[in-house]
């Protein structure tokens, strides 16, 4: 079912103290949200246990990456089954930092997505164009290709375990955000691609990410095809993160 989701991707930031203080605060506030937003925290894997202790089922928890296998001699990797066993509900797949810094390809993203959704976890599949691609008019075709290839192996009955996050690379950590109108246009195009693929497009949550802050979230979240946000820097500041979660109007 299409849900409102605000997820905080801590990237390689955080500590035991942040896990206690920030997640404790978010938990105490999230219980009283009246807008139906599901709040998700995605810390570095080593702090999953600390975050889960504080989340107490009120806040959902995810991992930032998984390997493409379920177990074995893959030093340094964590599998979807392990993430699930630990208590996670979400897995980020194909974040642009994984694609650009760690060389993750569309094929690898597709393999991971298939394993994640088949494990019963929700894959938040990240897509987005670079500045050069946007400036040369290719943004929509690049994103459409990432959606088609990244979701190529989703089994028919598993679309409820898929969320797509549109994160234009040029907007990540730069303070530049897409206008609400441009983000809406891309979300609508993504929904069109999902429909073409035979997915239940209207049921799939589409998140926007890239310099989302308390002062621009409400405009983004008022667009019809933007179902939430994937927040980087602002998710490390408890009050700012909660104020983003409150930026949706009350549920009708
Ligand atoms: P910022 O919100 O820091 O731009 O990061 C966005 C992001 O990459 C979330 O995954």
């Amino acid at each position: 079912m299409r849900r409102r989701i605000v997820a905080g991707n801590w990237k390689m930031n955080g500590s035991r103290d942040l896990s206690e203080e920030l997640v404790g605060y978010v938990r105490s506030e999230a219980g009283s949200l009246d807008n139906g937003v599901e709040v998700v925290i995605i810390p570095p894997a080593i702090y999953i246990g600390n975050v889960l202790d504080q989340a107490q089922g009120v806040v959902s928890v995810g991992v930032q990456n998984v390997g493409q296998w379920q177990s074995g001699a893959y030093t340094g990797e964590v599998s979807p089954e392990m993430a699930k066993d630990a208590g996670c509900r979400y897995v980020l797949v194909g974040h642009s930092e994984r694609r650009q810094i760690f060389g993750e390809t569309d094929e690898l993203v597709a393999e991971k997505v298939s394993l994640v959704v088949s494990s019963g976890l929700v894959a938040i599949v990240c897509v987005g164009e670079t500045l050069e691609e946007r400036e040369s008019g290719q943004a929509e075709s690049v994103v459409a290709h990432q959606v088609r290839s990244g979701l190529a192996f989703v089994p028919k009955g598993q679309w409820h375990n898929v969320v797509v996050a549109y994160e234009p690379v040029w907007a990540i950590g730069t303070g530049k955000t897409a206008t609400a109108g441009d983000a809406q246009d891309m979300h609508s195009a993504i929904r069109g691609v999902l429909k073409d693929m035979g997915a239940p497009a209207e049921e799939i949550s589409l998140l926007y990410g890239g310099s989302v802050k308390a002062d621009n979230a409400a405009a983004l979240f008022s667009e019809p095809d933007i179902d939430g946000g994937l927040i980087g820097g602002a998710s490390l500041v408890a009050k700012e993160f909660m104020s983003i979660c409150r930026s949706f109007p009350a549920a009708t």
Side-chain angles (χ1 to χ4, degrees):
M1 198 192 64
R2 190 154 154 192
R3 308 183 295 279
R4 290 174 167 182
I5 298 167
V6 175
N9 172 14
W10 288 7
K11 309 192 179 186
M12 203 172 75
N13 297 295
S15 60
R16 280 168 55 184
D17 282 353
L18 192 81
S19 305
E20 271 184 34
E21 288 156 22
L22 185 145
V23 184
Y25 174 80
V26 169
R27 180 197 66 230
S28 68
E29 297 285 310
S32 61
L33 283 174
D34 63 356
N35 56 10
V37 167
E38 179 178 357
V39 183
V40 184
I41 303 268
I42 310 179
I46 199 154
Y47 297 124
I48 292 288
N50 305 73
V51 168
L52 276 160
D53 284 350
Q54 289 297 326
Q56 296 176 11
V58 176
V59 175
S60 299
V61 179
V63 279
Q64 297 174 11
N65 178 42
V66 285
Q68 65 270 42
W69 314 275
Q70 289 295 23
S71 66
Y74 302 106
T75 301
E77 292 293 275
V78 166
S79 74
E81 284 298 344
M82 289 169 185
K84 186 177 175 190
D85 186 40
C88 291
R89 176 163 155 68
Y90 289 90
V91 180
L92 281 185
V93 187
H95 190 281
S96 62
E97 287 150 17
R98 302 285 326 162
R99 293 179 193 256
Q100 294 196 323
I101 304 169
F102 301 96
E104 293 201 2
T105 60
D106 288 330
E107 291 70 30
L108 182 60
V109 170
E111 259 184 85
K112 290 185 177 187
V113 169
S114 145
L115 204 61
V116 167
V117 299
S118 303
S119 303
L121 292 169
V122 179
I124 302 180
V125 186
C126 304
V127 296
E129 81 285 357
T130 62
L131 188 58
E132 291 88 323
E133 289 162 344
R134 173 151 287 260
E135 286 177 343
S136 60
Q138 297 174 70
E140 212 172 295
S141 63
V142 165
V143 168
H145 176 76
Q146 289 172 340
V147 171
R148 280 186 195 283
S149 55
L151 301 177
F153 306 139
V154 174
K156 219 172 175 182
Q158 292 293 348
W159 285 103
H160 60 282
N161 284 332
V162 172
V163 168
V164 178
Y166 169 56
E167 298 202 304
V169 177
W170 49 269
I172 295 178
T174 58
K176 288 185 204 157
T177 191
T179 63
D182 282 349
Q184 163 59 25
D185 287 348
M186 188 63 87
H187 280 227
S188 165
I190 292 171
R191 223 180 275 291
V193 173
L194 291 168
K195 203 169 164 198
D196 272 3
M197 293 175 73
E202 292 302 323
E203 301 293 309
I204 296 176
S205 299
L206 305 183
L207 314 184
Y208 171 79
S211 298
V212 179
K213 308 276 182 246
D215 61 7
N216 58 22
L220 289 158
F221 296 167
S222 67
E223 295 293 342
D225 286 299
I226 300 183
D227 305 308
L230 182 55
I231 322 299
S235 73
L236 297 165
V237 183
K239 287 196 170 149
E240 170 121 23
F241 183 57
M242 275 320 296
S243 126
I244 294 172
C245 295
R246 282 193 209 93
S247 297
F248 272 106
T252 45

